[in-house]
Amino acid sequence: MNAYQRVMNRLRGEAVDRPPNFNIMMTFAAHYIGQPLSHYYQDYRVLGDANLAVQAAFDLDLVQTISDPYREAADFGATIIFPEDDLPLCPQPLLAEPSDLGRLKYVDPHSGRRMSDRIAAVRYLRERVGGEVPIMGWVEGALAEAADLRGVSALLLDLYDRPEWVRELLEVCVEVEIAFARAQIEAGADIIGLGDAIASQIAPDMYREFALPYEQRIFAAVHEMGALARLHICGNTTRILPYLPQSGADIIDIEWMVDLKRAAEVFGEYPATCGNFDPVAVLLQATPDEVREAVHKCLQVGGARHFSAASCEVPSGTPPANLRAHAEALRAHGGWVH
């Protein structure tokens, strides 16, 4: 059974030889092939080669084009700085003042330098492992993109002070994200991941008003094109767990501070849970035996369609032995369903 078959069978509730390994790798992948992060973020070939390398080395069941949250923001016109081997920086929000929104225009993902680079990464991966390993593209959620353009603190105040202005901004963002998702699917993506980290920082009623409807629109477009949807919200989503399945996601990542058993009970048979052991305390800092134990505990409570992964990105510097222990635990588990 190859990775593509394993993932599709898992989502259909059919037999698999082992649970899928859905770890998110970015900085680890770049450093694994000896490349600085600035190259990983800006050259689709480096990103592609890094993902192919870690997929083969650690039995991942996907290759991915996730990198950083600033692809769309850069193409909207934000200034992004790329240190040689560190995370990218946005020194000044593009929408420093509310009046700046009037200058924000729709941008075609194919014409944007950074979005087109991700589209090229999808195509690069498709040429090499298409049909054998699922290819995951990535977009920002509309609210997350609004935060990238406005700044997190300013946007959180805007939700109270000028909600209509926020809705106007979200309309621009969601149209670009839908187009970006479609472009990646056309290039060969089987899955579109959506990051909406800011959604864990707002009240449930605000999530339902300012995040959920836009996640729904993006995922509806993804499904219309025949691809799958993965929702990733960093942080504690306990308060909004009942609403996450309404997004339309097929796979929902659950962070380590959330009760995975409760999430599985709330979600029911569908969507699939993914996660949720701690990427730092377990993958980075624990022993291989402790990794195996954490993987097993998640499989016991995550539900019949559970996807195994650390709850967020695999940190750079994670011992390869711990990643191998994760893969070994899944092989030892086999196709058994709790």
Side-chain angles (χ1 to χ4, degrees):
M1 176 173 283
N2 65 30
Y4 186 90
Q5 294 166 334
R6 186 175 298 116
V7 168
M8 299 307 162
N9 278 20
R10 189 67 158 183
L11 284 173
R12 289 192 294 260
E14 298 176 1
V16 293
D17 56 344
R18 63 165 176 79
N21 184 337
F22 250 44
N23 273 327
I24 291 176
M25 294 194 183
M26 294 180 278
T27 57
F28 179 92
H31 292 151
Y32 185 74
I33 64 166
Q35 288 285 348
L37 296 179
S38 58
H39 293 189
Y40 182 86
Y41 296 139
Q42 298 182 90
D43 186 339
Y44 71 88
R45 291 158 296 196
V46 173
L47 184 150
D49 289 343
N51 274 275
L52 291 168
V54 295
Q55 187 275 327
F58 303 112
D59 285 348
L60 301 184
D61 288 298
L62 79 170
V63 287
Q64 49 206 304
T65 63
I66 181 175
S67 60
D68 66 281
Y70 290 132
R71 288 189 183 261
E72 298 94 314
D75 290 345
F76 271 122
T79 297
I80 309 299
I81 297 173
F82 294 93
E84 176 65 11
D85 193 27
D86 207 341
L87 303 179
L89 305 170
C90 182
Q92 175 71 22
L94 185 65
L95 305 180
E97 299 295 336
S99 58
D100 293 333
L101 179 57
R103 298 188 286 106
L104 192 69
K105 304 299 181 185
Y106 173 87
V107 56
D108 182 349
H110 291 284
S111 65
R113 183 180 67 84
R114 296 214 65 220
M115 285 191 283
S116 64
D117 181 80
R118 178 172 286 165
I119 296 167
V122 171
R123 193 175 296 113
Y124 186 84
L125 292 168
R126 188 73 179 185
E127 291 169 354
R128 286 153 179 79
V129 295
E132 297 179 4
V133 181
I135 298 161
M136 185 176 72
W138 199 267
V139 299
E140 291 290 287
L143 191 63
E145 183 57 29
D148 293 336
L149 296 170
R150 176 70 167 137
V152 171
S153 297
L155 183 68
L156 291 176
L157 292 173
D158 292 333
L159 292 173
Y160 286 96
D161 296 340
R162 49 184 68 86
E164 288 303 322
W165 182 91
V166 173
R167 292 187 187 94
E168 185 179 349
L169 171 57
L170 290 172
E171 282 300 319
V172 178
C173 292
V174 75
E175 290 301 325
V176 170
E177 301 301 349
I178 288 171
F180 193 20
R182 285 175 171 158
Q184 291 177 74
I185 296 168
E186 289 170 352
D190 303 293
I191 305 166
I192 295 295
L194 182 152
D196 221 357
I198 195 174
S200 67
Q201 305 303 302
I202 57 178
D205 60 335
M206 284 194 165
Y207 172 75
R208 294 196 304 268
E209 182 175 356
F210 293 104
L212 179 60
Y214 304 94
E215 293 168 357
Q216 290 171 330
R217 287 167 61 180
I218 295 168
F219 287 155
V222 168
H223 288 145
E224 284 173 7
M225 295 196 67
L228 298 168
R230 177 181 185 177
L231 178 61
H232 184 90
I233 299 177
C234 298
N236 192 337
T237 55
T238 298
R239 296 184 302 168
I240 59 173
L241 275 179
Y243 309 113
L244 298 183
Q246 297 175 26
S247 68
D250 302 285
I251 303 164
I252 298 179
D253 294 353
I254 304 297
E255 280 271 27
W256 63 267
M257 66 285 292
V258 179
D259 186 329
L260 179 59
K261 182 178 180 181
R262 181 186 172 196
E265 291 170 349
V266 169
F267 293 0
E269 290 191 6
Y270 208 86
T273 63
C274 184
N276 76 329
F277 54 88
D278 190 326
V280 175
V282 176
L283 268 189
L284 179 65
Q285 298 175 339
T287 66
D289 283 343
E290 289 169 331
V291 170
R292 294 185 187 94
E293 181 181 0
V295 171
H296 181 65
K297 285 182 177 178
C298 290
L299 289 168
Q300 284 184 305
V301 300
R305 289 177 170 83
H306 179 68
F307 282 60
S308 184
S311 64
C312 202
E313 177 189 1
V314 172
S316 181
T318 293
N322 283 358
L323 293 168
R324 287 192 289 270
H326 182 188
E328 290 162 3
L330 295 179
R331 287 194 294 271
H333 184 89
W336 175 81
V337 175
H338 181 72

